[in-house]
Amino acid sequence: MLKRTAVAAVLGLGLTLSAGAMAQETIKIGVILPYSGPFADAANQLQAGIDLYIAEHGDEVAGRKIELIKRDTGGPAPDVARRLAQELVVRDNVDILAGFALTPEALGAAEIATEAQKLMVVMNAATSVVTEQSPYIVRTSVTIPQLNYSFGKWAYEQGIREAYTLVADYGPGIDAEASFAKGFTEMGGTIVGADRTPVANPDFSAYVQRVADASPEAVYIFVPGGAQPAAIGKALVDRGLAPPDIKVLGQGELTHPEALESMGETARGIITTFHYTLERDDPLNKAYVEGYTAANNGREPDLFSIGGYDGMHLIYEALKATNGDTNGDALVEAAKGMAWDSPRGPMSIDPETRDVIQTVYIREIQEVDGELQNVIVQEIPDVKDPLHGAAK
Protein backbone atom coordinates (compact mmCIF):
# COMPACT_ATOMS: atom_id res chain seq x y z
CA MET A 1 0.00 0.00 0.00
CA LEU A 2 1.32 3.44 -0.88
CA LYS A 3 2.25 5.75 1.95
CA ARG A 4 0.22 8.92 2.29
CA THR A 5 3.04 11.09 0.90
CA ALA A 6 3.42 8.82 -2.10
CA VAL A 7 -0.32 8.94 -2.71
CA ALA A 8 -0.21 12.70 -2.59
CA ALA A 9 2.65 12.77 -5.10
CA VAL A 10 0.89 10.44 -7.53
CA LEU A 11 -2.38 12.30 -7.23
CA GLY A 12 -0.60 15.59 -7.55
CA LEU A 13 0.64 14.46 -10.96
CA GLY A 14 -2.89 13.39 -11.91
CA LEU A 15 -4.30 16.74 -10.81
CA THR A 16 -1.71 18.59 -12.86
CA LEU A 17 -2.61 16.56 -15.92
CA SER A 18 -6.30 17.33 -15.38
CA ALA A 19 -5.94 21.01 -14.55
CA GLY A 20 -8.02 21.89 -17.58
CA ALA A 21 -10.99 19.85 -16.45
CA MET A 22 -13.33 22.82 -16.45
CA ALA A 23 -12.56 23.32 -20.12
CA GLN A 24 -13.91 19.87 -20.87
CA GLU A 25 -17.58 19.57 -21.62
CA THR A 26 -18.02 16.18 -19.96
CA ILE A 27 -18.29 15.70 -16.21
CA LYS A 28 -16.93 12.28 -15.30
CA ILE A 29 -18.32 10.42 -12.28
CA GLY A 30 -16.39 7.38 -11.13
CA VAL A 31 -18.78 4.82 -9.62
CA ILE A 32 -17.14 2.20 -7.39
CA LEU A 33 -19.36 -0.77 -6.47
CA PRO A 34 -19.10 -4.56 -5.94
CA TYR A 35 -20.82 -5.43 -9.24
CA SER A 36 -19.61 -9.02 -8.87
CA GLY A 37 -19.20 -11.21 -5.82
CA PRO A 38 -21.48 -11.68 -2.79
CA PHE A 39 -22.84 -8.12 -2.84
CA ALA A 40 -23.51 -7.91 -6.57
CA ASP A 41 -27.27 -7.66 -6.13
CA ALA A 42 -26.91 -4.66 -3.81
CA ALA A 43 -24.57 -2.99 -6.30
CA ASN A 44 -26.90 -3.61 -9.21
CA GLN A 45 -29.89 -2.21 -7.32
CA LEU A 46 -27.89 0.89 -6.38
CA GLN A 47 -26.79 1.30 -9.98
CA ALA A 48 -30.39 0.96 -11.12
CA GLY A 49 -31.29 3.90 -8.85
CA ILE A 50 -28.50 5.96 -10.43
CA ASP A 51 -29.66 5.01 -13.92
CA LEU A 52 -33.30 5.85 -13.19
CA TYR A 53 -32.41 9.34 -11.98
CA ILE A 54 -30.37 10.03 -15.12
CA ALA A 55 -33.16 8.63 -17.32
CA GLU A 56 -35.69 10.94 -15.65
CA HIS A 57 -33.53 14.08 -15.49
CA GLY A 58 -31.31 13.77 -18.55
CA ASP A 59 -27.56 13.37 -18.88
CA GLU A 60 -26.66 17.06 -18.97
CA VAL A 61 -26.26 19.42 -16.02
CA ALA A 62 -25.30 23.11 -16.20
CA GLY A 63 -24.56 22.68 -19.89
CA ARG A 64 -22.16 19.77 -19.35
CA LYS A 65 -22.71 16.13 -20.23
CA ILE A 66 -22.59 13.48 -17.48
CA GLU A 67 -20.49 10.37 -18.05
CA LEU A 68 -20.38 7.42 -15.65
CA ILE A 69 -17.21 5.34 -15.39
CA LYS A 70 -18.01 2.17 -13.46
CA ARG A 71 -15.47 0.05 -11.61
CA ASP A 72 -16.07 -3.32 -9.91
CA THR A 73 -14.44 -4.19 -6.58
CA GLY A 74 -15.81 -7.73 -6.38
CA GLY A 75 -15.93 -6.83 -2.69
CA PRO A 76 -15.86 -6.33 0.12
CA ALA A 77 -12.34 -5.22 -0.85
CA PRO A 78 -11.10 -1.96 0.70
CA ASP A 79 -7.67 -2.13 -0.94
CA VAL A 80 -9.26 -2.67 -4.34
CA ALA A 81 -11.61 0.27 -3.78
CA ARG A 82 -8.63 2.44 -2.89
CA ARG A 83 -6.72 1.39 -6.00
CA LEU A 84 -9.72 1.91 -8.25
CA ALA A 85 -10.37 5.36 -6.78
CA GLN A 86 -6.74 6.31 -7.42
CA GLU A 87 -6.91 5.02 -11.00
CA LEU A 88 -10.15 6.86 -11.66
CA VAL A 89 -8.61 10.12 -10.47
CA VAL A 90 -5.19 9.80 -12.11
CA ARG A 91 -5.91 7.87 -15.32
CA ASP A 92 -9.54 8.68 -16.04
CA ASN A 93 -9.55 12.24 -14.69
CA VAL A 94 -12.91 11.81 -12.97
CA ASP A 95 -14.46 14.85 -11.35
CA ILE A 96 -16.54 13.06 -8.70
CA LEU A 97 -16.35 9.70 -6.89
CA ALA A 98 -19.61 7.91 -6.04
CA GLY A 99 -21.20 4.58 -5.13
CA PHE A 100 -19.66 2.73 -2.15
CA ALA A 101 -22.19 0.10 -1.13
CA LEU A 102 -19.91 -1.25 1.62
CA THR A 103 -18.29 0.52 4.56
CA PRO A 104 -14.82 -1.03 4.15
CA GLU A 105 -14.69 0.19 0.56
CA ALA A 106 -15.83 3.70 1.46
CA LEU A 107 -13.11 3.82 4.11
CA GLY A 108 -10.57 2.49 1.62
CA ALA A 109 -11.26 5.28 -0.87
CA ALA A 110 -11.62 8.13 1.61
CA GLU A 111 -7.97 9.17 1.63
CA ILE A 112 -7.94 9.33 -2.16
CA ALA A 113 -10.89 11.73 -2.11
CA THR A 114 -9.05 13.91 0.38
CA GLU A 115 -5.75 13.96 -1.50
CA ALA A 116 -7.44 14.58 -4.84
CA GLN A 117 -9.95 17.06 -3.35
CA LYS A 118 -12.85 15.30 -5.07
CA LEU A 119 -16.46 15.19 -3.92
CA MET A 120 -17.17 11.61 -2.81
CA VAL A 121 -20.85 10.68 -2.56
CA VAL A 122 -21.45 7.64 -0.37
CA MET A 123 -24.69 6.11 -1.58
CA ASN A 124 -25.01 3.26 0.92
CA ALA A 125 -22.16 2.45 3.37
CA ALA A 126 -23.91 2.91 6.70
CA THR A 127 -21.31 2.87 9.47
CA SER A 128 -21.44 6.08 11.46
CA VAL A 129 -17.78 7.08 11.08
CA VAL A 130 -17.71 7.14 7.27
CA THR A 131 -18.22 10.89 6.83
CA GLU A 132 -15.49 11.60 9.39
CA GLN A 133 -12.84 9.97 7.20
CA SER A 134 -12.68 12.78 4.62
CA PRO A 135 -13.98 16.36 4.44
CA TYR A 136 -15.03 15.57 0.86
CA ILE A 137 -17.47 12.76 1.76
CA VAL A 138 -21.23 13.41 1.69
CA ARG A 139 -23.66 10.56 2.46
CA THR A 140 -27.14 10.12 0.92
CA SER A 141 -28.15 6.78 2.42
CA VAL A 142 -28.51 6.11 6.15
CA THR A 143 -26.54 5.17 9.23
CA ILE A 144 -27.34 2.08 11.23
CA PRO A 145 -27.29 4.00 14.55
CA GLN A 146 -29.65 6.60 13.05
CA LEU A 147 -32.28 3.89 12.65
CA ASN A 148 -31.72 1.73 15.69
CA TYR A 149 -31.06 4.27 18.43
CA SER A 150 -34.47 5.77 17.63
CA PHE A 151 -35.96 2.27 17.43
CA GLY A 152 -34.69 1.33 20.89
CA LYS A 153 -36.33 4.41 22.38
CA TRP A 154 -39.56 3.71 20.51
CA ALA A 155 -39.64 0.10 21.78
CA TYR A 156 -39.51 1.29 25.38
CA GLU A 157 -42.23 3.86 24.72
CA GLN A 158 -44.47 1.02 23.53
CA GLY A 159 -44.24 -0.65 26.95
CA ILE A 160 -41.44 -3.13 26.25
CA ARG A 161 -39.13 -3.41 29.26
CA GLU A 162 -36.95 -6.44 28.45
CA ALA A 163 -35.30 -7.35 25.17
CA TYR A 164 -32.80 -9.85 23.81
CA THR A 165 -30.51 -8.85 20.91
CA LEU A 166 -29.49 -11.33 18.21
CA VAL A 167 -27.32 -9.90 15.43
CA ALA A 168 -24.93 -10.97 12.69
CA ASP A 169 -21.33 -10.85 13.92
CA TYR A 170 -19.85 -8.14 11.68
CA GLY A 171 -19.62 -4.35 11.68
CA PRO A 172 -23.20 -3.45 10.73
CA GLY A 173 -24.67 -6.04 13.10
CA ILE A 174 -22.51 -4.86 15.98
CA ASP A 175 -23.48 -1.23 15.25
CA ALA A 176 -27.15 -2.22 15.22
CA GLU A 177 -26.84 -4.14 18.50
CA ALA A 178 -25.07 -1.26 20.25
CA SER A 179 -27.34 1.52 19.03
CA PHE A 180 -30.61 -0.32 19.72
CA ALA A 181 -29.39 -1.26 23.20
CA LYS A 182 -28.24 2.31 23.88
CA GLY A 183 -31.59 3.82 22.98
CA PHE A 184 -33.52 1.12 24.86
CA THR A 185 -31.48 1.18 28.07
CA GLU A 186 -31.28 4.98 28.20
CA MET A 187 -35.05 4.96 28.47
CA GLY A 188 -34.94 2.40 31.29
CA GLY A 189 -35.16 -0.90 29.43
CA THR A 190 -33.06 -3.99 30.17
CA ILE A 191 -31.15 -6.16 27.70
CA VAL A 192 -31.58 -9.64 29.17
CA GLY A 193 -29.28 -11.36 26.68
CA ALA A 194 -27.13 -10.67 23.62
CA ASP A 195 -25.82 -13.05 20.99
CA ARG A 196 -24.08 -12.85 17.62
CA THR A 197 -24.43 -15.27 14.73
CA PRO A 198 -21.90 -16.08 11.98
CA VAL A 199 -22.25 -13.88 8.92
CA ALA A 200 -21.99 -16.77 6.44
CA ASN A 201 -24.37 -19.74 6.45
CA PRO A 202 -25.50 -19.55 10.07
CA ASP A 203 -27.55 -22.28 11.72
CA PHE A 204 -29.94 -20.22 13.83
CA SER A 205 -31.42 -23.07 15.89
CA ALA A 206 -29.06 -22.92 18.89
CA TYR A 207 -29.14 -19.13 19.02
CA VAL A 208 -32.92 -18.96 18.87
CA GLN A 209 -33.15 -21.61 21.60
CA ARG A 210 -31.13 -19.35 23.87
CA VAL A 211 -33.60 -16.55 23.17
CA ALA A 212 -36.46 -18.91 24.09
CA ASP A 213 -34.71 -19.93 27.31
CA ALA A 214 -34.38 -16.25 28.32
CA SER A 215 -38.12 -15.64 27.77
CA PRO A 216 -37.79 -11.92 26.91
CA GLU A 217 -40.70 -9.64 26.06
CA ALA A 218 -39.00 -8.85 22.74
CA VAL A 219 -36.14 -9.98 20.54
CA TYR A 220 -34.25 -7.52 18.36
CA ILE A 221 -32.72 -9.04 15.21
CA PHE A 222 -30.23 -7.79 12.65
CA VAL A 223 -29.25 -10.09 9.78
CA PRO A 224 -28.13 -9.34 6.22
CA GLY A 225 -30.64 -9.60 3.40
CA GLY A 226 -30.86 -12.59 1.09
CA ALA A 227 -31.81 -15.95 2.56
CA GLN A 228 -31.17 -15.18 6.24
CA PRO A 229 -34.40 -13.28 7.12
CA ALA A 230 -36.58 -16.22 6.08
CA ALA A 231 -34.27 -18.71 7.82
CA ILE A 232 -34.30 -16.89 11.14
CA GLY A 233 -38.05 -16.30 10.85
CA LYS A 234 -38.61 -20.04 10.50
CA ALA A 235 -36.30 -20.79 13.44
CA LEU A 236 -38.24 -18.38 15.65
CA VAL A 237 -41.60 -19.89 14.72
CA ASP A 238 -40.29 -23.44 15.27
CA ARG A 239 -39.61 -22.49 18.89
CA GLY A 240 -42.82 -20.61 19.47
CA LEU A 241 -41.20 -17.19 19.23
CA ALA A 242 -43.61 -15.31 17.00
CA PRO A 243 -46.01 -12.40 17.44
CA PRO A 244 -48.17 -11.92 19.39
CA ASP A 245 -46.45 -14.20 21.95
CA ILE A 246 -43.22 -12.17 21.66
CA LYS A 247 -42.37 -8.88 20.00
CA VAL A 248 -40.04 -9.48 17.07
CA LEU A 249 -38.12 -6.32 16.19
CA GLY A 250 -35.49 -5.72 13.54
CA GLN A 251 -33.92 -3.50 10.91
CA GLY A 252 -35.79 -3.32 7.61
CA GLU A 253 -33.83 -6.03 5.80
CA LEU A 254 -35.72 -8.53 7.95
CA THR A 255 -38.93 -7.84 6.02
CA HIS A 256 -37.73 -7.02 2.50
CA PRO A 257 -40.35 -8.05 -0.10
CA GLU A 258 -38.18 -11.01 -1.14
CA ALA A 259 -37.97 -12.12 2.49
CA LEU A 260 -41.71 -11.78 2.95
CA GLU A 261 -42.34 -14.10 0.02
CA SER A 262 -40.31 -16.80 1.74
CA MET A 263 -41.55 -16.14 5.28
CA GLY A 264 -45.26 -16.15 4.53
CA GLU A 265 -47.49 -16.07 7.60
CA THR A 266 -44.50 -16.28 9.94
CA ALA A 267 -43.81 -12.59 9.15
CA ARG A 268 -47.14 -11.30 10.44
CA GLY A 269 -46.65 -8.83 13.30
CA ILE A 270 -42.88 -8.34 12.88
CA ILE A 271 -41.92 -4.70 13.54
CA THR A 272 -38.97 -3.09 11.76
CA THR A 273 -37.30 0.28 11.36
CA PHE A 274 -36.10 1.73 8.06
CA HIS A 275 -35.49 4.98 6.21
CA TYR A 276 -37.28 3.85 3.05
CA THR A 277 -40.42 1.83 2.55
CA LEU A 278 -41.82 1.29 -0.92
CA GLU A 279 -45.40 1.16 0.40
CA ARG A 280 -45.21 4.78 1.62
CA ASP A 281 -48.40 6.52 0.46
CA ASP A 282 -46.98 9.58 -1.27
CA PRO A 283 -47.26 10.71 -4.93
CA LEU A 284 -43.49 11.12 -5.29
CA ASN A 285 -42.82 7.64 -3.94
CA LYS A 286 -45.57 6.06 -6.03
CA ALA A 287 -44.09 7.58 -9.19
CA TYR A 288 -40.63 6.39 -8.15
CA VAL A 289 -41.81 2.83 -7.48
CA GLU A 290 -43.68 2.71 -10.80
CA GLY A 291 -40.71 4.07 -12.75
CA TYR A 292 -38.20 1.81 -11.06
CA THR A 293 -40.34 -1.30 -11.41
CA ALA A 294 -40.97 -0.62 -15.10
CA ALA A 295 -37.27 -0.12 -15.77
CA ASN A 296 -36.17 -3.24 -13.87
CA ASN A 297 -38.38 -6.06 -15.11
CA GLY A 298 -40.83 -5.83 -12.21
CA ARG A 299 -38.18 -5.63 -9.47
CA GLU A 300 -39.24 -3.21 -6.74
CA PRO A 301 -36.87 -0.57 -5.31
CA ASP A 302 -35.04 -1.04 -2.03
CA LEU A 303 -32.66 0.78 0.30
CA PHE A 304 -29.78 0.43 -2.16
CA SER A 305 -31.66 1.89 -5.09
CA ILE A 306 -32.94 4.91 -3.16
CA GLY A 307 -29.40 5.71 -2.01
CA GLY A 308 -28.23 5.78 -5.62
CA TYR A 309 -31.22 7.81 -6.77
CA ASP A 310 -30.80 10.47 -4.08
CA GLY A 311 -27.04 10.44 -4.53
CA MET A 312 -27.50 11.51 -8.14
CA HIS A 313 -29.96 14.18 -7.02
CA LEU A 314 -27.32 15.63 -4.74
CA ILE A 315 -24.69 15.57 -7.49
CA TYR A 316 -27.01 17.25 -10.02
CA GLU A 317 -28.14 19.96 -7.62
CA ALA A 318 -24.61 20.66 -6.42
CA LEU A 319 -23.44 21.03 -10.02
CA LYS A 320 -26.31 23.41 -10.73
CA ALA A 321 -25.32 25.48 -7.70
CA THR A 322 -21.71 25.73 -8.94
CA ASN A 323 -22.73 26.32 -12.59
CA GLY A 324 -20.92 23.15 -13.56
CA ASP A 325 -17.74 23.85 -11.62
CA THR A 326 -16.44 20.48 -10.40
CA ASN A 327 -14.05 21.86 -7.80
CA GLY A 328 -14.39 19.53 -4.82
CA ASP A 329 -14.54 22.26 -2.19
CA ALA A 330 -17.22 24.13 -4.13
CA LEU A 331 -19.35 21.01 -4.57
CA VAL A 332 -19.08 20.06 -0.88
CA GLU A 333 -20.12 23.57 0.14
CA ALA A 334 -23.09 23.33 -2.21
CA ALA A 335 -24.09 20.01 -0.65
CA LYS A 336 -23.95 21.23 2.94
CA GLY A 337 -27.43 22.10 4.14
CA MET A 338 -29.05 20.91 0.90
CA ALA A 339 -32.66 19.81 1.46
CA TRP A 340 -35.17 18.13 -0.82
CA ASP A 341 -38.23 15.93 -1.00
CA SER A 342 -37.21 12.38 -1.86
CA PRO A 343 -39.39 9.34 -2.56
CA ARG A 344 -38.31 8.32 0.96
CA GLY A 345 -39.64 11.61 2.42
CA PRO A 346 -38.04 14.93 3.42
CA MET A 347 -34.26 14.75 3.73
CA SER A 348 -31.30 17.08 4.05
CA ILE A 349 -27.53 17.12 4.50
CA ASP A 350 -26.22 18.20 7.90
CA PRO A 351 -23.92 21.18 7.17
CA GLU A 352 -21.60 20.20 10.03
CA THR A 353 -21.23 16.46 9.47
CA ARG A 354 -22.18 16.11 5.77
CA ASP A 355 -24.41 13.25 6.83
CA VAL A 356 -28.05 12.64 5.97
CA ILE A 357 -30.92 13.87 8.15
CA GLN A 358 -34.22 12.12 7.46
CA THR A 359 -37.39 10.48 8.72
CA VAL A 360 -37.09 7.12 10.46
CA TYR A 361 -40.09 4.87 9.85
CA ILE A 362 -41.45 2.20 12.19
CA ARG A 363 -43.30 -0.49 10.20
CA GLU A 364 -45.36 -3.53 11.12
CA ILE A 365 -46.19 -6.48 8.89
CA GLN A 366 -49.94 -6.39 8.45
CA GLU A 367 -52.40 -7.81 5.94
CA VAL A 368 -53.47 -5.30 3.29
CA ASP A 369 -55.87 -6.37 0.52
CA GLY A 370 -55.14 -10.01 1.25
CA GLU A 371 -51.34 -9.65 1.25
CA LEU A 372 -48.81 -9.17 4.02
CA GLN A 373 -46.74 -6.01 3.71
CA ASN A 374 -44.89 -3.35 5.70
CA VAL A 375 -47.31 -0.77 7.08
CA ILE A 376 -45.95 2.44 8.58
CA VAL A 377 -47.16 2.77 12.18
CA GLN A 378 -45.05 5.78 13.19
CA GLU A 379 -42.78 8.38 11.61
CA ILE A 380 -39.91 10.00 13.52
CA PRO A 381 -38.89 13.13 11.56
CA ASP A 382 -35.54 14.90 11.21
CA VAL A 383 -33.37 12.20 12.76
CA LYS A 384 -29.59 12.70 12.82
CA ASP A 385 -26.96 10.06 13.37
CA PRO A 386 -26.70 9.84 17.16
CA LEU A 387 -23.02 8.91 17.39
CA HIS A 388 -21.58 12.04 15.84
CA GLY A 389 -24.23 14.07 14.07
CA ALA A 390 -26.62 14.71 16.93
CA ALA A 391 -23.80 15.62 19.29
CA LYS A 392 -22.65 18.59 17.23
Side-chain angles (χ1 to χ4, degrees):
M1 183 180 294
L2 292 174
K3 299 294 186 181
R4 182 180 179 89
T5 53
V7 172
V10 172
L11 289 173
L13 174 61
L15 292 172
T16 301
L17 294 174
S18 61
M22 267 301 293
Q24 300 174 357
E25 292 184 359
T26 300
I27 295 173
K28 297 180 180 180
I29 303 174
V31 183
I32 298 175
L33 289 170
Y35 293 106
S36 64
F39 293 93
D41 185 65
N44 290 326
Q45 293 307 300
L46 197 155
Q47 183 64 53
I50 292 173
D51 294 341
L52 179 62
Y53 191 89
I54 294 174
E56 291 179 348
H57 297 86
D59 62 356
E60 287 191 7
V61 182
R64 303 181 65 186
K65 188 173 179 62
I66 298 293
E67 177 187 351
L68 301 183
I69 302 177
K70 297 184 284 186
R71 293 292 183 264
D72 177 19
T73 65
D79 290 343
V80 174
R82 177 188 175 85
R83 174 177 57 79
L84 292 176
Q86 183 174 319
E87 291 174 358
L88 283 165
V89 169
V90 175
R91 299 180 187 177
D92 298 294
N93 294 322
V94 299
D95 302 291
I96 297 167
L97 295 169
F100 307 103
L102 306 172
T103 290
E105 296 184 353
L107 299 181
E111 185 181 4
I112 304 300
T114 302
E115 296 289 351
Q117 299 178 346
K118 301 289 186 183
L119 171 66
M120 176 173 157
V121 182
V122 172
M123 296 175 170
N124 186 67
T127 302
S128 180
V129 298
V130 165
T131 57
E132 298 176 4
Q133 304 309 301
S134 170
Y136 292 91
I137 291 178
V138 180
R139 177 159 36 197
T140 61
S141 52
V142 67
T143 80
I144 288 172
Q146 182 180 51
L147 294 175
N148 291 289
Y149 179 71
S150 302
F151 196 30
K153 287 179 173 291
W154 180 88
Y156 185 88
E157 290 169 351
Q158 305 313 300
I160 298 171
R161 296 295 179 264
E162 295 182 346
Y164 194 110
T165 60
L166 181 61
V167 305
D169 191 10
Y170 73 131
I174 294 168
D175 271 2
E177 174 190 68
S179 52
F180 175 85
K182 180 177 173 62
F184 187 62
T185 57
E186 281 183 358
M187 296 290 287
T190 300
I191 301 297
V192 297
D195 221 335
R196 297 175 183 174
T197 64
V199 177
N201 306 314
D203 178 354
F204 291 113
S205 56
Y207 298 96
V208 171
Q209 184 59 55
R210 287 199 283 271
V211 177
D213 292 342
S215 300
E217 295 175 59
V219 56
Y220 170 83
I221 295 169
F222 179 97
V223 292
Q228 292 197 29
I232 198 167
K234 182 178 185 302
L236 289 167
V237 170
D238 287 347
R239 284 157 182 78
L241 299 175
D245 298 323
I246 185 175
K247 295 285 187 183
V248 177
L249 313 174
Q251 191 167 294
E253 289 89 345
L254 188 62
T255 56
H256 267 336
E258 294 80 8
L260 288 179
E261 290 180 10
S262 300
M263 294 168 76
E265 279 295 314
T266 63
R268 187 187 295 269
I270 292 177
I271 299 171
T272 58
T273 181
F274 232 20
H275 62 296
Y276 175 68
T277 183
L278 65 89
E279 298 90 354
R280 179 172 171 264
D281 187 10
D282 174 84
L284 196 61
N285 185 49
K286 288 181 177 179
Y288 172 69
V289 172
E290 289 174 5
Y292 188 94
T293 304
N296 291 279
N297 300 313
R299 178 77 179 263
E300 293 175 319
D302 60 11
L303 81 155
F304 302 109
S305 58
I306 196 66
Y309 188 86
D310 283 320
M312 289 309 298
H313 176 90
L314 182 139
I315 290 172
Y316 272 45
E317 293 303 310
L319 287 167
K320 290 176 186 178
T322 65
N323 293 316
D325 185 352
T326 57
N327 174 273
D329 291 293
L331 290 173
V332 170
E333 286 304 311
K336 290 179 179 179
M338 186 183 293
W340 67 98
D341 286 327
S342 160
R344 74 178 86 177
M347 63 183 291
S348 63
I349 302 300
D350 188 321
E352 295 184 31
T353 66
R354 292 161 282 105
D355 222 335
V356 62
I357 303 171
Q358 61 192 326
T359 300
V360 168
Y361 298 99
I362 311 297
R363 304 105 46 89
E364 182 177 356
I365 296 298
Q366 300 177 5
E367 186 172 328
V368 179
D369 297 329
E371 295 185 356
L372 293 177
Q373 68 176 48
N374 290 291
V375 174
I376 296 172
V377 295
Q378 188 164 336
E379 301 181 12
I380 307 172
D382 301 323
V383 178
K384 294 184 177 185
D385 178 272
L387 298 189
H388 73 273
K392 295 187 177 182

